[in-house]
Amino acid sequence: QVQLVESGGGLAQPGGSLNLSCTASGDINNLYSMGWYRQVPGKGREFVATITWGRGNGDYADSVRGRFTISRDAAKLTVFLQMKELVPDDSAIYYCFLHDNFQYWGQGTQVAVSP
């Protein structure tokens, strides 16, 4: 079994910044990528960012590109999401995922952007 523990998130003002992190543990095999999705009530889960574990190549949703930065600490099995220039539409529950032979999800962490 694989466990993902997220931290960070919280409340920020528009234009502000927040940082998320997610640490993986457990029986991980052929780790390919980790990243983040987000979800607001009543809507489907939306892709935010992902990073390949080997090369560290990042990919972003158009809505966050240029504002969010994903990175990883391979030795600590941790992925980070640095979020800048936050807007109210960034408010959501952010879910960490890990993709090896299977896909796993974290429990989610709340991000709220409000004046």
Side-chain angles (χ1 to χ4, degrees), residues 52-92:
T52 59
W53 213 249
R55 293 181 175 270
N57 293 329
D59 190 24
Y60 301 89
D62 288 343
S63 59
V64 307
R65 186 175 289 111
R67 301 187 297 119
F68 291 10
T69 302
I70 191 167
S71 61
R72 79 203 189 306
D73 183 332
K76 296 182 178 180
L77 289 175
T78 298
V79 63
F80 305 97
L81 187 67
Q82 184 180 38
M83 304 184 292
K84 297 181 177 179
E85 301 175 25
L86 288 164
V87 299
D89 281 351
D90 293 322
S91 299

Side-chain angles (χ1 to χ4, degrees), residues 12 16 34 51 60 71 74 99 108 114:
M34 291 183 68
I51 187 165
Y60 301 89
S71 61
H99 184 190
S114 179

Side-chain angles (χ1 to χ4, degrees), residues 2 5 13 16 22 24 33 50 52 57 63 76 88 90 99 106 110:
V2 172
V5 178
Q13 293 186 338
C22 173
S33 65
T50 185
T52 59
N57 293 329
S63 59
K76 296 182 178 180
D90 293 322
H99 184 190
Q110 180 79 50

Side-chain angles (χ1 to χ4, degrees), residues 9-75:
L11 177 63
Q13 293 186 338
S17 301
L18 286 172
N19 297 313
L20 306 180
S21 64
C22 173
T23 299
S25 62
D27 187 16
I28 300 168
N29 297 285
N30 301 314
L31 177 53
Y32 177 73
S33 65
M34 291 183 68
W36 300 88
Y37 276 66
R38 65 188 182 187
Q39 188 171 23
V40 298
K43 293 188 177 182
R45 201 166 286 190
E46 173 193 28
F47 168 74
V48 176
T50 185
I51 187 165
T52 59
W53 213 249
R55 293 181 175 270
N57 293 329
D59 190 24
Y60 301 89
D62 288 343
S63 59
V64 307
R65 186 175 289 111
R67 301 187 297 119
F68 291 10
T69 302
I70 191 167
S71 61
R72 79 203 189 306
D73 183 332

